[in-house]
Amino acid sequence: MTNKQKGILCAILGPVLWGVSGNVAEYLFDQPGIRPDWLVAVRMLGAGTLLMAISLATKRPQLVALTHDRSAWVHSMLFGLCGVFVSQFTYFSAVAASNAPTTTVLQALGPVLIILYLALRNRQWPPRLDVLCVVIAFAGIILLVTHGHLGSLALTPQGLFWGIGAGVGAALYTLMPGQLLIHYSTDLVLAWAMLAAGIANVPVLFLQPWPALTALDVAGIAYVTIGGTLLAYLLYVSSLRYLRPTTVGMLGVFEPLTAAVVSVVFFHLRFGGAEILGGVLILSVTFLQTLPVRTKLPRRVESSH
């Protein structure tokens, strides 16, 4: 297998694992007592601990250097609380209020929100391609949340709110660690950020009764923590060794595709023409952003899941 083939395989498997993670979370939220805030706390604490252990074993000197860099350490903590936690909580809340495929598509609004943020911050009208991306994404949202019937909402207000929030979380997740990634590798930054988010949410695990978990529930939680977080992330990072970030970004379309296929097969969810077109329009923004002339975005950490 060539390096390019390895990269493509990793770049596809990572989003596939993320996509299935949304479906598994959707199943878990149907079980009594399992709430988004509880699952996020368990997931971040578990994945953060595992990633920190891997970093200690493989990159101990670099990890120690980051820890002793007060500014970088504080920045990592803030990234964990305001970037990682926000993206995770809004994503899972959106899944609980709607479904995994819709949430993964709405989360793809992240690049559009970054375009708007940079335009406001720089007080400069964005390039025509970016304006086109905003218009296409807006049209896609309308089709997705109305199912083509403009006089009514097919998506619940809660689902729409948390879905757009997931897009905001994805934007924060991308923008916040920019300066850190100039000096430190992504896995070290993310190890501290995930662990910080997990520790900050430990009270959630004690302030509400623990759900009565079945063996299948435990397996689902383990998958969301390990397969849908740790392994997916490691595959993503591995793909960047062999492929350009733009190529990896385009292959991220496998995440909503996987979530949709799993929902149709196992949850018997059906999509109409309007929802499919709306999803395609929103996801097309990812492809448009890979064209040569575009607003330069900060280096990406990974998918916000």
Side-chain angles (χ1 to χ4, degrees):
M1 183 179 290
T2 65
N3 285 341
K4 183 176 181 179
Q5 289 172 331
K6 290 179 183 177
I8 291 174
L9 181 62
C10 291
I12 291 175
L13 286 179
V16 166
L17 292 176
W18 277 319
V20 174
S21 177
N23 297 117
V24 173
E26 189 174 345
Y27 159 78
L28 291 172
F29 295 143
D30 286 336
Q31 311 312 306
I34 300 182
R35 299 173 16 163
D37 55 347
W38 184 88
L39 184 59
V40 168
V42 172
R43 184 193 197 197
M44 290 295 92
L45 190 61
T49 301
L50 290 171
L51 190 55
M52 181 62 72
I54 293 173
S55 298
L56 280 170
T58 60
K59 296 184 177 180
R60 188 182 183 90
Q62 298 94 315
L63 185 62
V64 171
L66 189 156
T67 306
H68 285 90
D69 184 339
R70 181 179 176 82
S71 176
W73 187 81
V74 171
H75 196 167
S76 296
M77 298 301 102
L78 291 175
F79 172 48
L81 298 176
C82 301
V84 173
F85 171 71
V86 170
S87 66
Q88 294 294 309
F89 181 72
T90 53
Y91 175 79
F92 281 120
S93 295
V95 169
S98 56
N99 56 66
T102 301
T103 299
T104 54
V105 170
L106 288 175
Q107 186 179 240
L109 290 171
V112 174
L113 296 176
I114 292 174
I115 290 170
L116 295 176
Y117 165 76
L118 293 177
L120 291 173
R121 189 189 70 177
N122 298 328
R123 297 181 182 180
Q124 183 177 6
W125 191 257
R128 283 177 293 180
L129 178 60
D130 288 345
V131 174
L132 178 62
C133 287
V134 172
V135 172
I136 290 175
F138 184 69
I141 290 178
I142 292 176
L143 288 173
L144 194 66
V145 303
T146 65
H147 291 191
H149 303 289
L150 301 183
S152 62
L153 280 178
L155 190 64
T156 65
Q158 293 87 351
L160 179 60
F161 174 80
W162 289 117
I164 293 177
V168 173
L172 289 171
Y173 193 89
T174 302
L175 288 167
M176 287 193 68
Q179 291 299 314
L180 276 174
L181 296 177
I182 295 175
H183 306 287
Y184 299 100
S185 63
T186 309
D187 49 349
L188 298 181
V189 172
L190 201 58
W192 267 121
M194 280 189 175
L195 190 58
I199 293 174
N201 283 277
V202 164
V204 173
L205 303 178
F206 297 97
L207 293 177
Q208 57 180 284
W210 272 57
L213 301 175
T214 66
L216 189 58
D217 296 339
V218 173
I221 293 168
Y223 173 80
V224 168
T225 302
I226 300 174
T229 304
L230 186 64
L231 292 181
Y233 156 73
L234 292 175
L235 285 167
Y236 173 86
V237 172
S238 297
S239 71
L240 290 173
R241 297 175 183 173
Y242 310 114
L243 301 175
R244 293 178 302 169
T246 51
T247 303
V248 175
M250 285 192 294
L251 291 174
V253 74
F254 277 89
E255 181 183 351
L257 178 61
T258 299
V261 170
V262 173
S263 289
V264 169
V265 174
F266 293 99
F267 292 86
H268 308 294
L269 189 65
R270 294 291 178 265
F271 299 99
E275 300 98 291
I276 294 174
L277 178 58
V280 169
L281 287 175
I282 294 174
L283 294 174
S284 69
V285 171
T286 301
F287 294 90
L288 288 173
Q289 284 291 298
T290 65
L291 296 178
V293 180
R294 66 183 189 280
T295 299
K296 292 185 179 178
L297 301 181
R299 180 180 167 185
R300 217 183 129 139
V301 180
E302 63 156 329
S303 166
S304 55
H305 311 318

